[in-house]
Amino acid sequence: YDTQDKEHRIAMHEATIKRQRTWAVGIVGIALLCLAVAILAYHYLRLTKRHNRELTETNALKNKFFSIISHDLKNPVLAQRRVLETLSKNLSGLSHEELSAIVDMLYASTTAQVDLLQNLLVWARLQTGRMNFTPIVCRVADAVQSVVALAQLQLRNKQQSLETDIDDGCICYADPNMLTTVLRNLVSNAIKFTGEGGRITLRAHNIDNRCRIEVS
């Protein structure tokens, strides 16, 4: 009888231990499941936050791109339209030399405008990560030349003059498209905020091993 009683107690004890192990395994499983859900929720929130940030950046890039187009592209087009309007009204009263000068100016402006469109497309590709920032050693005079060519019609319509004073040895380490965009923006604003018959000066000089560019 004592032996049977001990065996019964041992069996009850083993059953209790088994139930405790089962509960422990269940609790651990639930804890692991909760941890997995928390990790998935964390990653989902991170992806959602990243997606929202990318959408915000894309929207800001779109607005910036439209702003550049309206600023850098609209003014030359409007200048060309005013010149063509003047031609249509006063064609018979213009001399051959005047017509030739206007046509040459329109051609130079259109060529510079095509370059501007290409630069804007390159800039858009750069901003969207499809092109790397590629600075090189470039001559400031080359960037100034393209900017001046694009601004000629705007200068003519406001009867303004644009004088340049560029050191031949003025070079800088920069992305040529970015450099041209900055100069074009400065010159366009200078034309916009300078009265009719005014004078705009663009200078570039080497100072202390740096290239200093001024638009006044």
Side-chain angles (χ1 to χ4, degrees), residues 8 46 90 153 189:
H8 178 70
R46 282 192 61 187
N90 305 303
L153 290 180
N189 283 335

Side-chain angles (χ1 to χ4, degrees), residues 21 24 90 117 129:
R21 287 177 178 175
N90 305 303
L117 284 172

Side-chain angles (χ1 to χ4, degrees), residues 87 90-104:
L87 279 176
N90 305 303
L91 185 61
S92 59
L94 296 174
S95 64
H96 177 74
E97 290 75 13
E98 290 174 329
L99 282 175
S100 178
I102 292 175
V103 169
D104 289 342

Side-chain angles (χ1 to χ4, degrees), residues 120-132:
L120 286 175
L121 293 175
V122 169
W123 179 85
R125 291 175 59 192
L126 175 65
Q127 295 297 317
T128 53
R130 287 180 290 175
M131 180 175 290
N132 295 325

Side-chain angles (χ1 to χ4, degrees), residues 19-211:
R19 285 196 301 271
Q20 290 176 348
R21 287 177 178 175
T22 302
W23 275 101
V25 171
I27 291 173
V28 171
I30 294 173
L32 290 176
L33 180 62
C34 292
L35 180 61
V37 171
I39 291 174
L40 290 175
Y42 173 73
H43 283 290
Y44 174 77
L45 291 175
R46 282 192 61 187
L47 289 175
T48 303
K49 186 176 180 181
R50 179 181 176 183
H51 182 65
N52 291 335
R53 185 174 67 250
E54 290 177 349
L55 287 177
T56 302
E57 292 175 352
T58 301
N59 189 53
L61 175 63
K62 179 195 67 176
N63 294 335
K64 188 175 182 181
F65 186 68
F66 286 151
S67 175
I68 290 178
I69 290 178
S70 63
H71 186 276
D72 290 359
L73 198 58
K74 181 182 70 175
N75 293 333
V77 172
L78 291 177
Q80 290 174 3
R81 187 179 70 177
R82 284 193 290 269
V83 171
L84 291 173
E85 183 180 359
T86 302
L87 279 176
S88 65
K89 292 180 179 180
N90 305 303
L91 185 61
S92 59
L94 296 174
S95 64
H96 177 74
E97 290 75 13
E98 290 174 329
L99 282 175
S100 178
I102 292 175
V103 169
D104 289 342
M105 200 179 303
L106 283 171
Y107 176 75
S109 177
T110 305
T111 302
Q113 202 169 330
V114 172
D115 293 337
L116 170 59
L117 284 172
Q118 292 177 345
N119 290 339
L120 286 175
L121 293 175
V122 169
W123 179 85
R125 291 175 59 192
L126 175 65
Q127 295 297 317
T128 53
R130 287 180 290 175
M131 180 175 290
N132 295 325
F133 168 61
T134 53
I136 61 173
V137 177
C138 53
R139 296 177 68 248
V140 175
D142 294 337
V144 170
Q145 183 178 1
S146 63
V147 171
V148 171
L150 185 64
Q152 285 303 311
L153 290 180
Q154 295 173 260
L155 293 167
R156 183 181 184 278
N157 288 331
K158 295 190 69 173
Q159 297 179 351
Q160 296 170 342
S161 63
L162 175 59
E163 300 177 359
T164 59
D165 182 14
I166 313 296
D167 287 347
D168 292 334
C170 197
I171 60 175
C172 63
Y173 184 69
D175 187 297
N177 293 326
M178 292 183 177
L179 176 61
T180 304
T181 300
V182 172
L183 290 176
R184 184 172 58 244
N185 195 288
L186 292 173
V187 171
S188 179
N189 283 335
I191 295 173
K192 179 179 179 181
F193 295 107
T194 300
E196 291 193 8
R199 182 181 65 183
I200 301 167
T201 305
L202 199 162
R203 302 183 182 90
H205 300 291
N206 289 319
I207 300 177
D208 296 332
N209 203 29
R210 293 174 179 265
C211 182

